[in-house]
């Protein structure tokens, strides 16, 4: 039974990958054969004239302009464009032509499954155990929006101050839900201070901290505290570090410009992500950490250990 | 980095990993609909009563906030008890009171505690702080098990318990779990408890493991941990089998304690038993599972 199930899953993964790759192949040549170019003539360091050219580009770019400047005085800036013409015939999901606001949203949405896949790899292949299932993925993607060093710094400040607050609240015998809401408010307060400080320091765009998944941060503080009580500080700090590490790597990977660019050009790669998740879901081998944890079992079996 | 080679070596020794346990045809024997019974200690206690297996007496159940007043009245009269979440896991949220200390109460770990903190701890249980998925929970007030003298020297800081892992209702592996100072009175291995592998046929200890390393002596007391005999062993195995059949899980961990007066008592069942039992027994579970499959098949043929 389990074998036939594995075959079905692998089959579905293959179908999904094949579908994504064929969409990829169908869309790509259309763009390559029928590009649109923006040709700008620069004279004396200034833009003097711009034309848009359909089709293959060859020869002297000066030929595209009606008047000819004196030889040697002009240079040309050629930029590829992705116009509606370029993708005529398969206009599905042309994410590059979205308005800026929608574009950012689509980019975030496309990155989320990829980040989730990364978290799955960390958990099921390596065996890392962060706080929360997709908390690290969300945190990582939020960090990507800010300058990574700033983002990590703010998160560390929030977590440290929040944990101290949690410890202080213990004294007041509060019920769980109001206590968590109080922590959330405290986290908001810290972020507000950060924004005002950044604003006073003349740093614009500090508003990105509001993208931080506040509820997830609050949950992390609460779970950190519980774990510290139950399993000791070492375990709690180890888990916290794992969480931040995974979030940091997600942020790093997602801020490599090529990654979101690829996903935006090829949203069909979600199919590949789904295929990878399906295969990962049937992975029944040992996790990397288990190879270490069970190392004592790898030795030649002994009947009994005597001192 | 030599341990990376274990990725090849451990499967050859029949070691079961978490992924395989959760997905690879082992926990697939466990229908999810059966989980509520093992996840809820109250339902489990009812089941024990039905099949005639002893379990620690339940003195009371606190299910609503308003009932916290009753709690204070109960502990004033009976202050030798255990307060635990009905749907807790991994020994979390369990508070053990052993008696009075002035106007306060004494916990099993030697620390004192006032009634306000007991009440707040119980309120946290109700709010779901220790329950699976953080869902609102009930708090169970349970009779405290009196430690069996056989374990007095090796479990001075709490109660030793016996974990039997059963596959297709056949005992597959057994382990004695001992609390240490580091584990704060709890016998859970990931919190620093000791796992002692028990030979299924004889009830005799043959390996011991602490923090994933083999040991021969108790790290706190220096007592030898090998060649000990677990009392009432046949009865323990019989109870475990009866309980496994009653909950209907094909792969299950049954936890028992041995009370000084009442003998073996069923504490709880676990639909996803931990895998450190393999270290404690220096043997892979997968190897045992295949052995049991073969035994049952040949028995069916006859």
């Amino acid at each position: 039974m389990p074998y036939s199930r594995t075959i079905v899953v692998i089959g579905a993964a293959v179908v999904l990958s094949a579908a994504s790759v064929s969409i990829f192949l169908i869309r790509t040549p259309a763009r390559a054969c029928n590009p649109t170019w923006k040709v700008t003539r620069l004279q004396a360091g200034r833009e003097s004239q711009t034309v848009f050219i359909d089709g293959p580009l060859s020869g002297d770019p000066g030929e595209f302009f009606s008047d000819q400047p004196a030889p040697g005085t002009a240079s040309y800036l050629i930029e590829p464009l992705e116009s509606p013409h370029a993708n005529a015939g398969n206009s599905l999901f042309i994410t590059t032509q979205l308005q800026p606001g929608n574009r950012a949203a689509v980019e975030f949405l496309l990155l989320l499954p990829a980040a989730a896949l990364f978290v799955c790899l960390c958990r099921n292949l390596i065996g890392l155990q962060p706080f929360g299932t997709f908390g690290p993925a969300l945190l990582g993607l939020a960090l990507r929006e800010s300058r990574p060093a700033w983002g990590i710094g703010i998160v560390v400040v929030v977590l440290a101050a929040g944990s101290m607050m949690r410890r202080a609240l213990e004294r007041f015998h509060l019920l769980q839900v109001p206590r968590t809401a109080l922590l959330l408010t405290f986290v908001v307060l810290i972020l507000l201070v950060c924004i005002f400080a950044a604003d006073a320091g003349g740093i614009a765009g500090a508003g990105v901290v509001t993208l931080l998944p506040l509820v997830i941060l609050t949950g992390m503080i609460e779970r950190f505290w519980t774990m510290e009580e139950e399993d000791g500080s070492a375990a709690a700090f180890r888990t916290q570090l794992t969480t931040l590490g995974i979030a940091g790597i997600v942020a790093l990977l997602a801020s490599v410009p090529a990654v979101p660019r690829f996903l935006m050009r090829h949203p069909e790669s979600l199919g590949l992500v789904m295929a990878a998740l399906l295969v990962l879901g049937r992975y029944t081998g040992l996790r990397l950490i288990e190879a270490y944890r069970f190392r004592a079992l790898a030795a030649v079996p002994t009947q009994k250990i005597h001192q | 980095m030599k341990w990376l080679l274990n990725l090849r070596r451990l499967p050859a020794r029949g070691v079961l990993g978490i992924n395989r346990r959760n997905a690879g045809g082992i926990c697939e024997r466990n229908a999810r609909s059966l989980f509520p019974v093992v996840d809820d200690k109250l339902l489990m206690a009812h089941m024990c009563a039905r099949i005639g297996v002893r379990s620690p007496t339940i003195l009371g159940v606190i299910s609503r906030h308003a009932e916290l007043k009753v709690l204070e009245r109960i502990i004033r009269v009976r202050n030798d008890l255990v307060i635990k979440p009905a749907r807790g896991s991994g020994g979390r949220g369990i508070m053990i009171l052993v008696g009075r200390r002035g106007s306060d109460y004494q916990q099993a770990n030697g620390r004192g505690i006032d009634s306000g903190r007991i009440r707040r701890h119980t309120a946290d249980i109700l709010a779901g702080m220790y329950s699976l998925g953080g869902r609102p929970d009930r708090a169970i007030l349970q009779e405290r098990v009196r430690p069996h003298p056989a374990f007095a020297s090796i479990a001075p800081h709490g109660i030793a318990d016996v974990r039997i892992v059963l596959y297709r209702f056949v005992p597959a592996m057994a382990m004695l779990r001992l609390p240490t100072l580091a584990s704060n009175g709890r016998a859970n291995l990931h919190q620093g408890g000791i796992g002692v592998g028990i030979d299924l046929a004889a009830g005799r200890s043959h390996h011991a493991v602490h923090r994933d390393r083999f040991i021969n002596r108790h790290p706190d007391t220096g007592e030898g941990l090998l060649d000990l005999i677990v009392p009432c062993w046949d009865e323990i195995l019989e109870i475990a089998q009866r309980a496994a059949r009653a909950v209907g899980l094909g792969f299950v961990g049954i936890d028992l304690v041995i009370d000084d007066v009442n003998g073996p008592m069923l504490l709880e069942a676990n639909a996803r038993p931990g895998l450190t039992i393999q270290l404690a027994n220096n043997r892979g579970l997968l190897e045992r599972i295949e052995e049991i499959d073969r035994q049952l098949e040949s028995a069916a043929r006859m």
Side-chain angles (χ1 to χ4, degrees):
Chain A
M1 263 300 278
Y3 289 106
S4 64
R5 208 171 285 157
T6 305
I7 290 167
V8 169
V9 168
I10 302 273
V14 168
V15 168
L16 269 171
S17 324
S20 337
V21 170
S22 35
I23 295 174
F24 179 93
L25 289 177
I26 292 166
R27 286 158 52 96
T28 312
R31 200 177 290 129
C33 299
N34 193 19
T36 303
W37 306 93
K38 180 187 175 191
V39 183
T40 313
R41 183 163 66 185
L42 302 166
Q43 274 180 304
R46 284 189 302 151
E47 292 181 19
S48 70
Q49 212 176 343
T50 304
V51 291
F52 294 92
I53 308 295
D54 273 352
L57 199 62
S58 59
D60 179 12
E63 287 168 15
F64 298 122
F65 295 88
S66 49
D67 57 321
Q68 294 294 326
T73 58
S75 54
Y76 298 92
L77 184 67
I78 300 169
E79 295 163 276
L81 275 187
E82 289 176 68
S83 74
H85 297 288
N87 286 298
N90 51 94
S91 56
L92 189 73
F93 274 145
I94 309 300
T95 53
T96 43
Q97 289 152 26
L98 290 165
Q99 296 169 35
N102 294 339
R103 211 187 134 89
V106 168
E107 197 173 285
F108 178 81
L109 286 178
L110 286 174
L111 279 167
L112 193 55
L117 171 64
F118 180 76
V119 171
C120 288
L121 288 174
C122 289
R123 292 182 80 104
N124 288 24
L125 226 50
I126 302 178
L128 299 174
Q129 286 181 331
F131 287 122
T133 315
F134 295 117
L138 278 174
L139 195 60
L141 289 183
L143 285 177
R144 179 187 78 104
E145 306 283 335
S146 63
R147 271 184 266 174
W150 279 86
I152 285 273
I154 290 174
V155 166
V156 169
V157 166
V158 166
L159 290 178
S163 300
M164 277 190 268
M165 177 75 173
R166 176 66 185 81
R167 189 173 301 279
L169 284 179
E170 185 57 15
R171 215 166 300 160
F172 300 115
H173 304 195
L174 301 175
L175 294 176
Q176 198 201 12
V177 177
R179 186 180 62 210
T180 314
L182 204 61
L183 269 182
L184 178 69
T185 314
F186 187 66
V187 168
V188 166
L189 211 63
I190 299 172
L191 291 178
L192 282 175
V193 169
C194 286
I195 295 176
F196 275 106
D199 196 67
I203 301 162
V208 290
V209 296
T210 54
L211 286 171
L212 286 177
L214 296 182
V215 175
I216 283 173
L217 280 180
T218 312
M220 276 166 67
I221 293 168
E222 190 69 32
R223 291 178 71 167
F224 177 83
W225 190 86
T226 317
M227 192 163 196
E228 203 180 5
E229 286 288 289
E230 296 280 337
D231 301 338
S233 298
F237 273 105
R238 209 180 311 127
T239 312
Q240 189 72 275
L241 219 61
T242 310
T243 313
L244 288 181
I246 294 176
I249 295 173
V250 167
L252 269 178
L253 290 178
S255 59
V256 172
V259 174
R261 203 194 303 140
F262 180 84
L263 287 173
M264 288 298 273
R265 288 215 182 127
H266 306 290
E268 64 272 18
S269 44
L270 282 189
L272 289 178
V273 171
M274 285 163 78
L277 286 170
L278 276 174
V279 174
L280 198 60
R282 290 300 298 182
Y283 173 71
T284 54
L286 288 178
R287 298 174 179 182
L288 203 57
I289 274 185
E290 287 174 330
Y292 181 74
R293 182 181 155 205
F294 293 131
R295 64 196 179 281
L297 278 174
V300 186
T302 46
Q303 275 310 300
K304 201 169 283 185
I305 298 175
H306 282 296
Q307 47 269 60
Chain B
M1 294 300 272
K2 255 188 181 164
W3 55 267
L4 276 177
L5 294 172
N6 293 350
L7 285 176
R8 303 268 305 269
R9 223 178 280 153
L10 290 173
R13 284 212 61 199
V15 172
L16 182 65
I18 294 177
N19 288 338
R20 182 76 189 266
R21 180 196 68 179
N22 290 353
I26 290 155
C27 278
E28 278 168 11
R29 294 188 172 274
N30 295 348
R32 275 213 87 91
S33 60
L34 297 173
F35 278 26
V37 182
V38 287
D39 285 344
D40 191 324
K41 294 188 177 68
L42 217 48
L43 294 178
M44 201 63 203
H46 292 319
M47 194 209 75
C48 284
R50 204 176 58 238
I51 62 172
V53 163
R54 265 197 298 266
S55 68
T57 312
I58 290 179
L59 307 167
V61 179
I62 311 279
S63 20
R64 280 176 303 129
H65 226 80
E67 293 166 1
L68 286 175
K69 281 197 198 77
V70 185
L71 168 78
E72 272 168 76
R73 237 175 288 145
I74 292 176
I75 56 174
R76 221 173 293 146
V77 184
R78 168 127 195 196
N79 39 47
D80 178 29
L81 51 76
V82 179
I83 304 173
K84 54 167 71 172
R87 297 170 44 80
S89 69
R92 292 196 165 79
I94 296 178
M95 180 179 271
I96 305 164
L97 303 180
V98 294
R100 286 208 89 105
R101 186 158 92 180
S103 59
D104 290 352
Y105 297 88
Q106 170 125 16
Q107 289 185 80
N109 58 15
R111 276 182 244 159
I113 189 166
D114 61 43
S115 62
R117 283 204 59 178
I118 297 172
R119 187 188 165 128
R120 187 150 35 92
H121 177 82
T122 313
D124 280 342
I125 292 177
L126 296 185
M129 191 155 154
Y130 306 102
S131 80
L132 297 153
R135 280 193 282 166
D137 200 358
R138 284 171 296 180
I140 300 178
L141 310 181
Q142 204 177 47
E143 159 198 27
R144 190 171 72 91
V145 175
R146 284 138 296 190
H148 193 278
F151 301 133
S153 63
I154 54 170
H157 311 294
I159 301 269
D161 71 10
V162 178
R163 153 73 57 92
I164 314 273
V165 170
L166 298 99
Y167 174 69
R168 295 173 74 178
F169 315 127
V170 177
M173 258 185 205
M175 148 173 94
L176 185 65
R177 301 191 300 179
L178 306 175
T180 60
L181 284 175
S183 72
N184 195 17
R186 281 177 295 166
N188 298 79
L189 298 191
H190 71 275
Q191 282 151 352
I194 303 169
V196 183
I198 305 291
D199 178 67
L200 275 173
R204 186 195 301 269
S205 66
H206 57 88
H207 279 89
V209 67
H210 181 234
R211 299 203 182 278
D212 301 345
R213 284 175 196 283
F214 288 125
I215 54 169
N216 296 321
R217 302 186 161 278
H218 195 293
D220 297 334
T221 64
E223 286 289 327
L225 295 171
L226 307 182
D227 289 321
L228 303 168
I229 298 283
V230 178
C232 323
W233 187 245
D234 292 335
E235 197 184 341
I236 286 175
L237 287 183
E238 197 265 327
I239 291 176
Q241 271 169 293
R242 199 146 23 117
R245 278 189 192 282
V247 295
L249 295 173
F251 187 69
V252 65
I254 304 279
D255 293 345
L256 303 103
V257 282
I258 307 173
D259 185 86
D260 188 19
V261 180
N262 292 318
M265 286 180 158
L266 197 145
L267 214 52
E268 61 178 77
N270 202 317
R272 289 206 175 96
L275 299 173
T276 316
I277 194 168
Q278 303 177 102
L279 273 172
N281 282 282
N282 193 20
R283 192 173 183 196
L285 259 174
L286 215 49
E287 187 194 320
R288 258 306 274 162
I289 283 171
E290 281 160 11
E291 200 174 280
I292 292 171
D293 275 335
R294 276 197 303 274
Q295 277 171 10
L296 291 180
E297 267 158 41
S298 64
R301 244 179 270 131
M302 274 192 281

